Each structure stands twice: as C-alpha cells, then as structure tokens.
Amino acid sequence: MEPKVYIDGQFVSKKEAKVSVFDHGFLYGDGVFEGIRSYKGKILELDAHVRRLYESAKSIRLEIPLTQEQMTDAIKESLRINGLNDSYLRVIITRGVGYLGLSPWKTSHPSVIIIVDQIELYPAELYQKGLELITCATIRNHPAALSPRIKSLNYLNNILAKIEAIDAGAQEGIMMNHEGHVAECTGDNIFIVRSGTLLTPPTSAGILEGVTRDIVIELAGKANIPFKEETLTRHDLFVADECFLTGTAAEVIPATKIDGRVVGTGQVGPITRQLIDAFHKRTGR
Ligand code: PMP
C-alpha cells in the first residue's frame, strides 16, 4: 500500500509529501520531533513521547497547533491509515514557512508532519555480537547553549560525532559533556554495568531523557537489579563489565568494545541479556 504522510491535517501520498524551501525547519533546523515505535499495532509509550514533544516545543517557544489529545489521535490515525503493525513513526513540528531571516514570528504557522515507516538501525547480528564504540572528540552541546533535553530538528552536534565514529570504523560514538563526563551516544542513551550495578549518567549530564532509558530503568527495578544514575568518566567505560545503548529505533543493543578496550568478557553480559529479554517481553516481540 502507498504510504500516507500526515501534513497539517491532510493525508497525502509519499510523492506529494513535500515542505517548502522557506520552511524554517529546513532553513534553520527550527523545530522539534519525536521517533516512536509501534509493535503489533500498539504504540510504545505514546504518552511519554507526546509529553516530551510538547516540552521540547514549549522550551523553544513553538506552539503546536493541536492539543496533546488531538496529537495523540493524529498519531494513532496515521498508524491506522498506513496499516502497519510494526512501524517507526516520525512526528515533526516545524516553525513553518517564513522568509530568509531568523525571526520565528514571521512564519505563517507551525507545520505538523507524521511519517509512518520502518527502521532498522543496526543489522540483527550486532544485537548478538555487540557494537564497537569510540569516545568522540566532539562534545555534546553545552546545556546552556542548546539543551540536549530538547529533541530539536538540529542534529549537527550528533552528526559530527557520528562521522567520527564511522571514520574510526566503529558503529556508534559516545559523546562527553563540557565537563568531560559521559553524556550519551549520537542517537541513544548509554548504560554500563559494574559489579552487578546498572549505571547511567543523570539527565544533568546534558542528555536527552530517553523514553527507552526510562523503560529500562523501570525494568531493572522490577527485576531487582541495583541501579544508580551516576556521573561516569571514560575510565568507567573502559573498566565496565557490560555496556549497552537504548533508543526507540535501536531498542536495547549491547556494546562489546570501547576505544579498542574489550568490554567485560567481550560477550553480551548477563544483565544486558536479561534486560533485552525483559524489553522484548514488554514490546511483545
Ligand atoms: N539520545 C539522543 C541524542 C537521541 O536522539 C535519542 C533518540 N533517538 C535517544 C537518546 C534515545 O531516546 P528514546 O529512547 O526516547 O528514543
């Protein structure tokens, strides 16, 4: 079936789904977005994604022309119309069509776009073998410049780090914050296990508050796995027993090498395995 893209209340074909070159989302990355997953027709943590979308928008003074309830309905309707059970949904809010100047107040109205598609971020074998990571020279945006908690349309910071990782022959890059502490990966949050305790940087480290991160923290709690949000250094990564990343698209994926150091035994560790299994149970996969 021809995919249908929601643009400002209308469903149009993929071919017709176009935005203006004067849209400030295109010109300046002025906008916010969400990546959401559906499994067997059920949307995972829709409320959390909608909440974060509206928080990101509020932070950049972007008024979404739908209530949160209307947005929830539009997302569900987009999924239904596309007839996909297992899908990846991208919700994009741009500042809208304006002129060639920065002022967001000279744009007509914000645009709401919902794309329903599929995504495979990493080949299946890497979920068994684990990713190879590097730590990047490019630091995460300083939270006082552009808060990483805003899921904005400007991903250049992350893209520059991703280029470093790919250049180094790794699959992902770990970004430090302005203080030299571990923040997150270019499109995922990071966890390590040390002596049986699950650790992840706090949101104050300057990270996106990942929805999958929250799910994993909840699953760890239910499984009585000791957990702490803790400031982490490169050294903590190098001596970790286990490491994995979380994200809507990547789900929960192990990492077995960081900057040439083998993580733990080099195999996917028992706590990572347990959390991956619990995550699959949760999504019904
Ligand atoms: N950090 C960044 C920078 C991201 O872009 C994402 C989303 N891809 C995540 C973390 C993970 O967030 P979530 O689990 O909500 O997808």
Side-chain angles (χ1 to χ4, degrees):
M1 192 180 52
E2 170 74 0
K4 291 267 185 258
V5 180
Y6 174 104
I7 303 184
D8 298 331
Q10 308 284 326
F11 284 98
V12 298
S13 70
K14 198 172 172 178
K15 234 171 89 196
E16 292 168 302
K18 296 203 168 91
V19 291
S20 162
V21 293
F22 291 97
D23 191 301
H24 280 209
F26 173 72
L27 287 173
Y28 297 117
D30 186 355
V32 295
F33 78 101
E34 274 301 318
I36 308 174
R37 266 279 175 91
S38 79
Y39 296 90
K40 298 191 171 144
K42 199 165 170 282
I43 301 174
L44 185 65
E45 295 293 338
L46 180 55
D47 290 350
H49 283 288
V50 170
R51 198 177 323 118
R52 187 173 65 185
L53 181 70
Y54 279 74
E55 285 178 4
S56 292
K58 184 170 186 189
S59 187
I60 68 161
R61 294 194 56 192
L62 174 60
E63 262 186 52
I64 300 177
L66 299 176
T67 64
Q68 294 199 29
E69 291 70 32
Q70 287 169 332
M71 178 62 73
T72 300
D73 289 345
I75 294 168
K76 285 182 178 164
E77 182 63 3
S78 302
L79 181 64
R80 196 192 61 76
I81 280 195
N82 279 282
L84 283 176
N85 282 334
D86 296 309
S87 73
Y88 176 82
L89 298 106
R90 179 63 63 90
V91 183
I92 305 152
I93 320 293
T94 77
R95 190 76 69 174
V97 176
Y99 81 129
L100 295 180
L102 282 181
S103 176
W105 314 134
K106 292 195 175 166
T107 54
S108 50
H109 60 86
S111 260
V112 179
I113 296 161
I114 305 169
I115 305 167
V116 183
D117 207 330
Q118 261 148 354
I119 198 161
E120 192 197 78
L121 221 52
Y122 299 110
E125 65 179 67
L126 288 178
Y127 289 81
Q128 304 305 322
K129 237 176 71 186
L131 297 172
E132 190 171 335
L133 310 176
I134 61 152
T135 58
C136 298
T138 303
I139 62 161
R140 192 72 177 98
N141 279 331
H142 192 301
L146 178 64
S147 173
R149 289 171 66 185
I150 302 168
K151 200 164 166 61
S152 89
L153 287 181
N154 193 320
Y155 257 55
L156 259 188
N157 180 222
N158 315 59
I159 289 164
L160 293 179
K162 187 81 182 180
I163 289 171
E164 278 186 55
I166 295 166
D167 278 352
Q171 287 99 24
E172 246 302 345
I174 304 166
M175 303 178 79
M176 304 292 146
N177 66 16
H178 57 286
E179 290 172 322
H181 298 136
V182 176
E184 60 183 334
C185 289
T186 69
D188 297 307
N189 292 114
I190 186 164
F191 287 79
I192 60 168
V193 175
R194 189 167 186 199
S195 307
T197 300
L198 183 65
L199 301 167
T200 199
T203 42
S204 58
I207 60 169
L208 184 76
E209 296 174 294
V211 172
T212 321
R213 175 182 181 274
D214 282 345
I215 295 175
V216 163
I217 293 169
E218 186 197 312
L219 293 172
K222 283 192 179 140
N224 293 319
I225 297 167
F227 165 74
K228 265 198 285 193
E229 284 189 335
E230 202 167 274
T231 300
L232 299 175
T233 63
R234 271 193 176 84
H235 178 75
D236 292 312
L237 301 175
F238 296 160
V239 300
D241 301 321
E242 301 181 32
C243 177
F244 62 84
L245 314 185
T246 63
T248 297
E251 302 178 311
V252 183
I253 184 158
T256 45
K257 214 176 205 189
I258 303 175
D259 284 344
R261 281 93 168 163
V262 171
V263 178
T265 63
Q267 308 291 318
V268 179
I271 292 182
T272 305
R273 174 75 45 224
Q274 190 183 350
L275 288 167
I276 289 175
D277 289 348
F279 184 78
H280 284 163
K281 263 199 199 112
R282 171 70 177 267
T283 60
R285 264 238 275 183

